[in-house]
Amino acid sequence: MSTYPSHRFAIAPMMDWTDRHCRFLHRQLTQQALLYTEMVVADGIIHGDRGRLLGYDQIEHPVALQLGGSEPVKLAEAVRIAADFGYDEINLNVGCPSDRVQSGAFGACLMRDPDLVARCVEVMKAASDVAVTVKCRIGVDEQDPETALPGFVRTVADAGVDALWVHARKAWLEGLSPKENRDIPPLDYDIVYRLKQDYPNLFIGINGGIATLIQALEHLNQVDGVMLGRAAYHNASLLAGVDRQIYGMDVAEVEWGDVSAAMMAHAEAHLASGGRLIHVTRHMIGLFQGIRGARRFRQILSTEAVRPGAGPEVIADAFAAIDLSDLTVAA
C-alpha cells in the first residue's frame, strides 16, 4: 500500500502565480490543501540563490516543491539541497508544455522517455526521505494515451514513485501554444479513472478543467486526489470551503477580517525586506468573485498597490469595500 499522505485536494504548481505570497494567501483559506511551488529548475537550485528559490513560510505546510529537469545527477543534487528546507513532497514536472521547458528537454516532452523519468525518480528517492511524485499528461503529440499512459505509469511505478498527479489532457508540443494546451486538447477523465483501477495501491490524483468543489468531490469517487489550478487562483474564495467540504472537518467559517490582518502583516514584512506591495496583492485579485464590492476591491488592489510608497493599508481599504454579509463560499 502507498504511504503517501491523503492529499485529497491540491493547488497546482503554476509558473508566475504560485509563489510564496500566493501560497501564504491560500493557506489563510485552507489548512489542509497541499500547496505547490512554481516549477524550479534543478540547475537553478544547484547554482542559484537557494534562499530565494526555496524559501517559504512555515505556515505553508503541507507544501511541495516542483522540480524541472531531466538529468538524474542534477535532480538528485537538487533534491539533497531542497530536502534541508523541509518540503513535504518533491514533484517532477512531466507535464508543462512551455517553449522554455521544451528547450531544456524536460516537462511534457519527458512523456516520450519513461525510462529516463524512472531513472530520475529512482535517484531522487535515493537522495532523501521526502516523498517523490510526478505530475504528467496523458500523452504528447501523436502518442495514443491508451497505450502511452499505461506504459509510462507502469515504468515510473516500478521505479517507486510515491504518487502521480495526472493532467487529463494530451500536450501538443507542436502546433499549440502553452496557453492553448490548457484548453484545446480534450479532457479524458475516464482514462485517469481506469488508471486508478489498474493501480489501486498507488496514489492517483487528477487535474485539468476542474472548476468547483462539487466537481472535485465527484472526481474523488474515482481517484485519490484532485488538483485545481486556474480556478483556485482566479476564484480563490472557493478555497475557504475546502477543509469542510473536501476533508469533512468541522471547522469555523473563514474570518475575512483575520485574512485581511494576516495579509497586511505579511505585506508589511515583505516591504520591510525591500519588496513591493504589488508582489503580495496581485494574488488577491481573485477573492470575492460575484460578491458586492468585488469590483471596487479589485480596483483598489490594482491601482493603489502599484503607487510609490503603497503600504498595507491598501489591503485594509480593499477589504472595507466588500459587503461581507453578502459573502457565501462558492462550491
Side-chain angles (χ1 to χ4, degrees), residues 41-329:
V41 177
D43 267 327
I45 292 173
I46 295 169
H47 303 293
D49 183 341
R50 296 171 184 176
R52 180 181 63 83
L53 292 171
L54 298 175
Y56 62 91
D57 192 299
Q58 290 299 312
I59 197 176
E60 295 175 35
H61 286 293
V63 59
L65 169 70
Q66 187 180 63
L67 281 181
S70 59
E71 298 177 64
V73 171
K74 290 183 177 180
L75 285 167
E77 178 63 17
V79 168
R80 279 191 288 271
I81 295 166
D84 289 339
F85 283 77
Y87 283 97
D88 299 287
E89 171 187 326
I90 297 180
N91 178 270
L92 180 63
N93 184 329
V94 189
C96 181
S98 76
D99 295 336
R100 181 168 46 164
V101 167
Q102 289 185 58
S103 66
F106 54 90
C109 61
L110 286 174
M111 292 294 298
R112 299 194 191 104
D113 196 344
D115 289 332
L116 175 57
V117 176
R119 290 200 298 277
C120 292
V121 167
E122 287 172 347
V123 299
M124 290 168 69
K125 285 184 65 66
S128 85
D129 293 329
V130 180
V132 172
T133 69
V134 166
K135 186 171 187 290
C136 65
R137 294 281 184 134
I138 61 173
V140 294
D141 294 336
E142 299 300 334
Q143 284 185 333
D144 178 1
E146 294 293 345
T147 55
L149 183 63
F152 176 85
V153 174
R154 182 169 56 251
T155 303
V156 297
D158 288 345
V161 73
D162 290 297
L164 281 169
W165 290 94
V166 185
H167 187 150
R169 303 181 200 268
K170 288 179 70 172
W172 285 95
L173 305 180
E174 301 290 338
L176 291 182
S177 71
K179 182 177 185 298
E180 290 170 329
N181 262 296
R182 294 195 294 265
D183 295 300
I184 292 177
L187 287 158
D188 186 351
Y189 296 135
D190 286 341
I191 197 171
V192 185
Y193 296 166
R194 293 195 297 274
L195 196 64
K196 179 58 196 174
Q197 293 170 4
D198 292 339
Y199 291 88
N201 295 329
L202 177 64
F203 182 103
I204 303 288
I206 199 166
N207 172 229
I210 304 166
T212 70
L213 298 188
I214 290 175
Q215 292 174 8
L217 286 168
E218 292 171 351
H219 286 295
L220 286 168
N221 290 324
Q222 305 289 336
V223 293
D224 301 303
V226 173
M227 178 181 280
L228 267 66
R230 285 170 292 162
Y233 189 87
H234 290 306
N235 186 19
S237 296
L238 71 80
L239 298 175
V242 166
D243 294 354
R244 181 181 295 274
Q245 293 175 248
I246 302 297
Y247 288 90
M249 298 178 67
D250 183 13
V251 293
E253 297 291 338
V254 167
E255 291 287 346
W256 293 101
D258 292 345
V259 174
S260 175
M263 296 313 298
M264 290 175 67
H266 179 75
E268 187 170 13
H270 181 58
L271 290 166
S273 69
R276 298 177 59 207
L277 185 65
I278 191 65
H279 296 158
V280 175
T281 57
R282 71 187 184 97
H283 302 297
M284 301 170 64
I285 302 294
L287 289 172
F288 307 124
Q289 294 289 337
I291 303 302
R292 283 180 292 180
R295 179 178 296 182
R296 179 61 181 151
F297 175 86
R298 293 191 296 270
Q299 183 182 49
I300 292 170
L301 293 183
S302 299
T303 60
E304 300 300 322
V306 298
R307 298 186 188 279
E313 68 277 357
V314 171
I315 296 174
D317 292 343
F319 270 83
I322 295 296
D323 185 351
L324 293 178
S325 67
D326 192 43
L327 185 65
T328 56
V329 176

